[in-house]
Amino acid sequence: MPRERILSADDVPSAHDLKQAAGNNAKLRDDEIALRPRHMSEMVGQRKVAERLGIAVDAAQKRKEPLGHILLDGPPGLGKTTFATCIPHDLGVSLQIASGAALAAPKDLLPYLTNAEEGSVLFIDEIHRLPKAVEEFMYPAMEDFRVDITLGEGAGARTVNMKLRPFTVIGATTRSGLLSAPLRDRFQIREHLEFYSLEELTEIVVRNAAKLRVEIDGAAARKIAHCSRGTPRIANNRLRWVRDYSTSRATGQIALAIAEAALEMLGIDLLGLDAQDRKYMETIARVFHGGPAGVEAIAHTMNAALDTLVDEVEPFLLRSELVVRTPRGRKLTPRAYEHLGATPPEEQELPLFR
Ligand code: ADP
């Protein structure tokens, strides 16, 4: 991947530069940028996390020291990238953005490290995907702000120490369990992001409707929030879809009936689940008799990517108590059967769909 340019404090995270920095990163599309908060104080929800990070930012500023390294984990779309872009903006420092999946070798990481300005932030998304060699290269960079570079090969090889300017790594991961202990231990601050409440998502929908200059009534905003699986990114996507629907089929304003019709057209049900969520539950019910079933087997049967199921589908179903994880695999709960309109199996019996 080509190295991305460094952003200055003034324009972080201005639309133009974030887009350049992100390259083809679909997460930073134009209107996502328009809706993304610029300061932690503009973020809705995650108050405890924002408060703790705010204290760390304030202390770093007062001591004129770089902020300690921060690890953010949690399901996709909950605000990890948003925190990582707001923090340097609040600190008034520059930001570089990299992705664990694109850093195949230490030489891919080196330019980010040597370009890091004093006190700046290096955001590494999907940090659990860093190969071992890159991870090990990062240890001295994070701990002592130096890298060890080996020059030459065989008997003539020698190691050169290179000093770096003190900087801050913000790592984001959907799978903190995959991170090695030595890497995890190098982050002084570790925060887990939780799903958002209905009230918080409603506030996000109302604020973002205003940013998109759409008139929305309270009941419609609440309906969209309710159908967003606890996730701001999904709330934003649903809002944009409802806006399009209204522009095409109605006046462009969003009233409850419009929101309901638009969401129904997307196949979103009363719990806010989409077709893939239901297919996952139906597969466990029909093929695996309600479980327990291994997630790999479920993915194969559904012809879906394992990562998609583990990262995107399962967290919300687990939180909604529709599915449980047992040592022997995933299992549907009575609530899931009720939602599917199916009868839980008697011992060894197939479920009957009404
Ligand atoms: P992640 O990096 O965890 O996948 P993002 O930070 O990219 O998630 O968030 C996705 C979108 O959701 C952002 O573009 C932003 O518009 C919105 N968002 C996330 N967290 C918040 C928040 N706390 N308040 C308001 N909007 C948010």
Side-chain angles (χ1 to χ4, degrees), residues 27 32 35-37 42-46 75-82 196 204 232-233 236:
K27 282 167 71 178
E32 274 228 26
L35 301 185
R36 195 186 289 279
E42 292 168 19
M43 293 180 74
V44 176
Q46 309 289 355
L78 295 190
K80 297 183 294 296
T81 307
T82 306
Y196 290 62
I204 291 175
R233 178 180 297 134
N236 289 343

Side-chain angles (χ1 to χ4, degrees), residues 36 70 76 140 143 149 158 176 180 196 203 226 230 279 320:
R36 195 186 289 279
I70 299 171
E143 222 159 53
I149 301 169
R158 61 197 170 92
S176 61
S180 72
Y196 290 62
E203 192 179 334
H226 182 73
K279 189 174 171 195
S320 305

Side-chain angles (χ1 to χ4, degrees), residues 27-28 31-37 40 42-47 74-85 123 125 172 174 193 196 200 204 207-208 211 231-236 240:
K27 282 167 71 178
L28 296 173
D31 47 357
E32 274 228 26
I33 293 164
L35 301 185
R36 195 186 289 279
M40 279 200 281
E42 292 168 19
M43 293 180 74
V44 176
Q46 309 289 355
R47 280 340 296 166
L78 295 190
K80 297 183 294 296
T81 307
T82 306
F83 271 115
T85 51
F123 172 48
D125 200 7
T174 48
L193 302 192
Y196 290 62
E200 289 162 352
I204 291 175
R207 282 190 193 190
N208 289 346
K211 284 188 194 165
T231 307
R233 178 180 297 134
I234 298 180
N236 289 343
R240 276 189 286 257

Side-chain angles (χ1 to χ4, degrees), residues 326-339:
T326 73
R328 289 168 53 223
R330 277 57 166 171
K331 212 167 169 317
L332 292 189
T333 65
R335 186 161 188 245
Y337 280 99
E338 198 180 306
H339 186 66

Side-chain angles (χ1 to χ4, degrees), residues 141-156:
M142 290 175 77
E143 222 159 53
D144 307 321
F145 305 115
R146 71 173 163 82
V147 281
D148 304 323
I149 301 169
T150 310
L151 300 174
E153 273 175 46

